[in-house]
Amino acid sequence: MDGMDGQRAERWTADQVLALAPDASSRKAGTALATAARWSGTGSSGTAVWGLCAGSGGTPYQAVVDTAGPAFRCGCPSRKFPCKHALALLLLWAGGEVGPAAHGGGRPDWVTEWLDARRAREERTSPGGRGTSGGGDPEAARRRAERRAGRVAAGATELERRLADLLRDGLAGADREGYRRWDETAARMVDAQAPGLASRVRELGALAGSGGDWPSRLLEETALLHLLARGCLRQDALPAPLAATVRSRVGFTVDSAELLAGPTVRDRWLVLARHDTADDRLTTRRTWLHGEATARTALLLSFGAAGRAPEPALPVGLGLDAELAFHPGARQLRAVLGPRHDTPLPGRVPPGVPVAAALGAYGEALADDPWLDAWPVVLAGVVPIPGGTGWQVADGDGSDAVPVTAGGAGAGAGLWRLAAVSGGHPVTVFGELGHQGFRPFTAWGGAGAEPVPLTV
Amino acid sequence: MTTTWADLVGTALLGTDRRGSTPEELLDSAALAVVRRRAGARPATAGARPATTPHDPRPPLPEAARRRLSLLLADRSVGGGGGSRRGAAPNLAELLPQWLAVANARGWAAPPELLPALLDAARARTDLRPDALALAGPRGLWLAELNSDWRFALRAGAPGVVPDTGDPGAVRTLWEEGLFAERVALLSRLRARDPRQALELLRSGWAAERAEDRLMFLDSLREGLSPQDEPFLEQALTDRSRNVRATAAELLSALPGSALAARMAARARTCVAWDPGGGRIGAEAPYECDAAMERDGVVAIPPAGRGERAWWFGQVVDAAPLVTWRERFGGRTPEEIIALPVADDWQADLHAAWCRAAVRQGDAAWARALLGPTPAPATAVSPVGDPAKLLSILPAPERAEWVARFIAAHGLSEAFQMLAVCAVPWAEPLGAAAVDALDIARDAGSYPWSFSGVMGLAERCMDPAEADRAAPLAAVPAESADTSPGAGAYWAEAFQRLVGTLRLRAAMLAELA
């Protein structure tokens, strides 16, 4: 008996379905399509839900969703992912309008084929099922790694020289030089296969002459870059976890499959927040998880080509029983999602701390990883204080507060949503707390409250 | 010696060469200082906390309705207004007013996280404001206090902003110091609750109000108009402003027992009389418009193209109480009176004036008589006066039946105004008549956009339970030689939208149950 039929899919709420939509227009289109009249041959069995949706053409689109992924497939030509048909199908299912098919029977062949293919693919890529991929000869791999280490070290040495030159002459003229000097240095770091150093150099270029007390901020970031370059050059002298942190900061990546082959942490992970940022080429998705038993916070990073939403599309508020493999480092946060064990259930309001404790958590994290700009925290019992010049989030009792950072376009709308949820009363807020302040991502109004995403 | 951060920045700006140190020393110290400072950050001191929201006793929206509201609000920002062709998808923005009204009627509270979007929607569309603000409730007002973009909510006379009308001191203060809109809102709320107190308030500073304000305030007396208002209105007949005088006269003529109505009845009787010799109604228009007539609101100068005597005649007749005619014509019913022949060419003027009188006096019997049985299909449509206005005084079921018969006989081309005054949802015969008429128009080879106004109304106003009636029409028919090219597909799309919108409304209402 295969696992997918063995699991009984818990119905999602419509909110959880809609949270999967890649954008507002998909949400709208999906909802419009979610009427039984547009669908035929719908059914569900195990974690699979399927149906045929009449489109503009002659043949209806075959849509199927595996809610355990969630994974989607639809015959329509849309490049949205999931497409409106998959969303509509799930909405119908969430509304109880898709009946279960007779066990095993009644499932159309095209559904079974897709499920089988998907399972086969999963077995191929899962750590247990896959062979030693990643390019055969371990000796050749070792030589490649050595060559890269050498290039990176040379890059870090050059960076140190350039930073020294900069400070020997003084920063006073740095704002007049424009980006050219920084861009050139960044390009050298790319050549040296140290993308982490390159992006920090580019940020320095943006800081110079950026208004306000820019010399102070530029010195801060220059000093931290210097610290990273020094750490990179003296990795051997560092404790292993710190060395791993330095390596990841410099830009060494670890293969996900390799991580999942190692130890994993199984817990009931609550999806705290999801946030996508996009540039011309790439959409980056950050998904924060909180482990109920381990009390650990994890960050999943995923990427999608421009215009396509990255996977996984885990809805905020979901609780999933899953294994995570953490990236190595002194302060582990980033993780990859491993096998999932059960059908996801709605999660609870995460436990939180007051402002001072949250600041303390950031401080402690800095001791392990001084390059952290912010640390994910759940603030509990806090009140948002709107202000013309800037917002604060303050403890419900006492006078402790942190300033709220204005985080990009549309942040204002999110802050007002936070204020509306609070209504002057204490709330639980998840966000990132750092030296620039607190950036809220999700709010919970009270006990048993649904999460309210603040960044979309 | 301790080095401060400012010292380090100073050295960095000038360059280590000039300060006798090395870049490495400087960067090492700075790195240490940065991390120490970041790790040791202390909480800031909290500013003044906002007040807490008053308790909202209303239950929170059911989940499905909450999701629906969020979609209706999101659609506003995505599609709103849109292009000329909407395709088969329902126009969600048009459904928002209905949704808000029903949600309020059922007593739900808006979900807090949707309040910013709700307030933004109300800011953009004034027609949404009353219902949006009612749904937003005390928490919405609490938010509006904090965000200047939503200040309109505090001025709009939303519940909670206008003081309790039971508190005379607060009412007096707002009346004397409030903004114009606040005062209008206060007056109309007070009028709805205690017409007499509202009148007293209005009287208190009447002479000092600006002319345009007096006009608006006077207009608010339409609500709950009663003989008790007569002395005040009679006084307003001598107002400095011509518009105020005209409105006062109009209101008085809507009070059949008023002195003005009696004066008008006397004038009307001299103009209209039974001519026993001819067996018909004889009409004699006034020869002059004297000062007393002008004082009673008769406008002396006719609009361009109208004879002045006929103009005065119309005004005298429409301001006279309709009971006048029953007495004048031997106790006949309105139907019988309207059936009487009229001398010369006065019938059109006389009947048009009676129509205006029926509307103004809200006289259903006369309205019914003037509308008459629906004209037969063969006859040209020549209803007297404005049928939509006459219809609006009839009880809702009767209105719907009349319009349904009218559409069955004459189609939709002149029905838009009449449909617009029918109660929502349309009573059963009306929806059927509208769908049938659309079907006929399709078979006749029209394009659906000729009926987009009626289609839009039908989407918003038909009873959602009637979706099945239109469903068969949503299929794309085979093209035949006598239909317009492509029309079939467009019609199918229009009907799909109709059916889709009706189903959506049914779902919306069910979610709000």
Side-chain angles (χ1 to χ4, degrees):
Chain A
M1 194 67 256
D2 64 56
M4 291 191 190
D5 278 346
Q7 287 178 20
R8 216 177 60 77
E10 202 67 37
R11 278 201 205 285
W12 297 0
T13 66
D15 268 354
Q16 285 170 353
V17 174
L18 287 171
L20 299 175
D23 51 38
S25 66
S26 301
R27 249 195 306 275
K28 183 185 153 196
T31 314
L33 270 182
T35 66
R38 298 293 296 263
W39 290 84
S40 59
T42 56
S44 67
S45 92
T47 57
V49 185
W50 64 86
L52 302 174
C53 183
S56 47
T59 7
Y61 299 127
Q62 299 175 333
V64 53
V65 180
D66 180 355
T67 58
F72 317 88
R73 202 201 71 116
C74 180
C76 77
S78 168
R79 280 160 39 96
K80 298 279 181 63
F81 196 80
C83 69
K84 59 184 176 180
H85 304 102
L87 287 172
L89 179 64
L90 280 177
L91 283 173
L92 283 179
W93 172 70
E97 291 186 58
V98 174
H103 186 77
R107 194 161 77 182
D109 290 344
W110 58 270
V111 173
T112 310
E113 271 166 31
W114 179 73
L115 289 173
D116 288 348
R118 192 175 129 64
R119 194 162 53 247
R121 204 163 46 240
E122 232 172 40
E123 269 159 20
R124 235 182 1 261
T125 53
S126 73
R130 71 195 268 285
T132 46
S133 77
D137 186 2
E139 180 57 27
R142 198 187 54 78
R143 277 200 305 274
R144 268 201 309 279
E146 257 176 23
R147 263 203 309 278
R148 180 172 178 195
R151 283 210 192 106
V152 170
T157 309
E158 184 180 349
L159 179 61
E160 276 287 85
R161 191 175 52 73
R162 286 176 181 240
L163 292 181
D165 288 348
L166 176 71
L167 286 159
R168 203 170 285 119
D169 299 341
L171 299 176
D175 55 331
R176 286 189 300 274
E177 287 175 28
Y179 288 100
R180 215 168 52 85
R181 174 177 187 167
W182 306 104
D183 279 348
E184 196 223 316
T185 309
R188 301 284 299 150
M189 294 306 111
V190 171
D191 291 346
Q193 292 182 295
L197 296 180
S199 66
R200 280 181 176 266
V201 170
R202 264 184 233 109
E203 280 164 32
L204 289 187
L207 274 178
S210 62
D213 192 12
W214 67 265
S216 174
R217 290 198 306 277
L218 183 56
L219 178 60
E220 285 185 11
E221 295 306 324
T222 309
L224 287 172
L225 182 53
H226 158 73
L227 190 65
L228 185 56
R230 288 298 283 270
C232 178
L233 291 171
R234 300 189 52 198
Q235 277 175 63
D236 299 343
L238 299 177
L242 184 57
T245 298
V246 167
R247 285 174 62 78
S248 87
R249 291 278 176 202
V250 167
F252 286 91
T253 52
V254 188
D255 185 45
S256 295
E258 214 166 280
L259 283 175
L260 286 170
T264 57
V265 182
R266 179 170 173 181
D267 201 343
R268 225 169 100 86
W269 297 97
L270 167 69
V271 182
L272 290 171
R274 208 179 78 190
H275 184 56
D276 291 355
T277 47
D279 62 22
D280 301 343
R281 292 163 300 137
L282 201 65
T283 304
T284 305
R285 165 166 295 169
R286 290 178 173 77
T287 309
W288 286 270
L289 305 170
H290 178 263
E292 223 166 70
T294 56
R296 286 183 76 160
T297 303
L299 169 65
L300 307 180
L301 271 181
S302 46
F303 305 94
R308 300 197 64 157
E311 283 198 84
L314 299 170
V316 173
L318 202 70
L320 62 159
D321 179 357
E323 293 177 38
L324 296 187
F326 283 85
H327 282 248
R331 174 63 52 151
Q332 293 184 337
L333 178 64
R334 189 173 165 197
V336 287
L337 184 57
R340 294 186 228 180
H341 294 280
D342 209 346
T343 325
L345 297 168
R348 294 171 225 165
V349 181
V353 297
V355 165
L359 278 171
Y362 171 57
E364 277 171 30
L366 278 178
D368 286 332
D369 180 352
W371 300 279
L372 276 172
D373 279 325
W375 185 246
V377 293
V378 177
L379 294 173
V382 289
V383 179
I385 305 177
T389 50
W391 287 48
Q392 282 183 322
V393 170
D395 282 346
D397 39 9
S399 64
D400 288 354
V402 279
V404 171
T405 57
L415 290 182
W416 284 110
R417 223 172 305 153
L418 174 61
V421 168
S422 150
H425 300 281
V427 290
T428 297
V429 192
F430 167 75
E432 284 192 321
L433 179 60
H435 58 93
Q436 291 175 316
F438 180 65
R439 179 169 183 207
F441 284 108
T442 308
W444 290 262
E450 295 283 315
V452 176
L454 304 173
T455 51
V456 277
Chain B
M1 191 195 108
T2 56
T3 314
T4 67
W5 178 253
D7 295 336
L8 293 173
V9 175
T11 306
L13 274 171
L14 290 174
T16 49
D17 279 359
R18 287 197 234 175
R19 289 287 183 106
S21 90
T22 68
E24 288 76 17
E25 277 169 16
L26 172 62
L27 285 170
D28 283 349
S29 314
L32 192 62
V34 170
V35 178
R36 185 166 55 207
R37 206 166 54 149
R38 290 184 179 179
R42 308 288 308 150
T45 305
R49 289 174 173 76
T52 53
T53 47
H55 175 67
D56 189 342
R58 298 175 298 176
L61 274 177
E63 200 228 285
R66 185 165 55 86
R67 173 165 46 94
R68 182 76 61 192
L69 175 60
S70 122
L71 286 166
L72 295 179
L73 290 170
D75 187 57
R76 192 185 66 83
S77 48
V78 179
S84 52
R85 230 173 72 79
R86 280 190 285 144
N91 185 346
L92 296 183
E94 288 296 335
L95 297 179
L96 188 53
Q98 222 169 76
W99 190 97
L100 291 172
V102 176
N104 279 325
R106 308 228 166 127
W108 298 113
E113 70 272 18
L114 293 183
L115 288 177
L118 186 62
L119 289 169
D120 282 343
R123 184 186 184 210
R125 280 177 66 177
T126 45
D127 64 312
L128 292 177
R129 283 187 189 176
D131 276 331
L133 292 176
L135 187 73
R139 195 174 283 241
L141 291 175
W142 176 87
L143 269 183
E145 295 267 8
L146 296 170
N147 186 337
S148 56
D149 282 353
W150 300 325
R151 279 290 149 80
F152 71 88
L154 308 176
R155 286 197 300 268
V161 177
V162 171
D164 182 6
T165 46
D167 175 354
V171 165
R172 174 64 56 187
T173 308
L174 186 64
W175 181 250
E176 282 164 7
E177 295 167 14
L179 298 168
F180 173 69
E182 287 168 336
R183 302 178 68 206
V184 170
L186 174 69
L187 189 64
S188 52
R189 285 189 63 203
L190 202 57
R191 181 76 177 170
R193 174 196 254 220
D194 184 349
R196 210 167 173 171
Q197 199 195 342
L199 189 65
E200 283 311 308
L201 201 60
L202 197 50
R203 231 185 240 287
S204 58
W206 180 251
E209 307 286 1
R210 298 181 310 154
E212 55 264 44
D213 292 1
R214 288 203 303 280
L215 188 63
M216 285 294 290
F217 291 146
L218 200 59
D219 211 54
S220 70
L221 294 184
R222 273 181 212 284
E223 171 86 15
L225 187 67
S226 79
Q228 287 173 336
D229 301 320
E230 193 187 346
F232 177 73
L233 291 172
E234 189 71 35
Q235 206 183 324
L237 285 177
T238 59
D239 197 273
R240 299 187 297 280
S241 153
R242 196 164 60 88
N243 287 333
V244 172
R245 291 199 299 272
T247 303
E250 191 199 329
L251 289 171
L252 281 169
S253 68
L255 286 170
S258 70
L260 178 133
R263 293 195 292 275
M264 282 301 190
R267 291 185 186 111
R269 273 194 292 267
T270 66
C271 297
V272 181
W274 179 245
D275 167 13
R280 56 188 183 174
I281 297 175
E284 178 92 34
Y287 286 94
E288 60 164 351
C289 180
D290 58 30
M293 281 165 74
E294 281 204 64
R295 181 181 177 278
D296 283 348
V298 178
V299 178
I301 312 292
R306 290 212 57 182
E308 56 182 14
R309 289 188 59 207
W311 171 244
W312 299 328
F313 175 83
Q315 294 181 80
V316 165
V317 174
D318 72 26
L322 287 161
V323 291
T324 313
W325 310 114
R326 177 170 290 234
E327 295 159 14
R328 191 108 181 112
F329 300 120
R332 285 183 170 88
T333 64
E335 281 82 3
E336 290 163 344
I337 293 171
I338 289 159
L340 293 173
V342 182
D344 305 323
D345 291 329
W346 284 104
Q347 177 167 0
D349 284 278
L350 183 59
H351 285 192
W354 280 339
C355 284
R356 292 195 298 274
V359 172
R360 193 182 296 181
Q361 295 167 34
D363 191 318
W366 272 85
R368 198 173 290 130
L370 285 158
L371 280 164
T374 328
T379 60
V381 188
S382 61
V384 286
D386 183 345
K389 282 189 177 161
L390 287 171
L391 282 165
S392 62
I393 351 181
L394 295 186
E398 195 180 338
R399 212 183 307 162
E401 271 175 37
W402 197 93
V403 178
R405 286 198 308 274
F406 181 89
I407 290 174
H410 298 283
L412 293 163
S413 50
E414 310 196 33
F416 182 79
Q417 300 289 346
M418 302 183 199
L419 285 168
V421 298
C422 288
V424 178
W426 287 348
E428 198 274 320
L430 186 52
V435 170
D436 289 347
L438 286 168
D439 192 18
I440 290 167
R442 175 176 73 163
D443 291 346
S446 308
Y447 280 103
W449 41 85
S450 313
F451 297 90
S452 57
V454 172
M455 268 289 188
L457 273 181
E459 287 163 18
R460 294 196 292 282
C461 307
M462 255 176 82
D463 190 334
E466 295 194 68
D468 291 338
R469 187 189 298 281
L473 301 174
V476 183
E479 261 186 36
S480 68
D482 53 350
T483 54
S484 309
Y490 289 125
W491 274 106
E493 195 177 73
F495 279 116
Q496 276 164 22
R497 189 173 61 238
L498 174 63
V499 174
T501 310
L502 292 177
R503 296 229 161 95
L504 185 66
R505 284 174 53 216
M508 255 169 53
L509 296 176
E511 287 158 5
L512 285 166

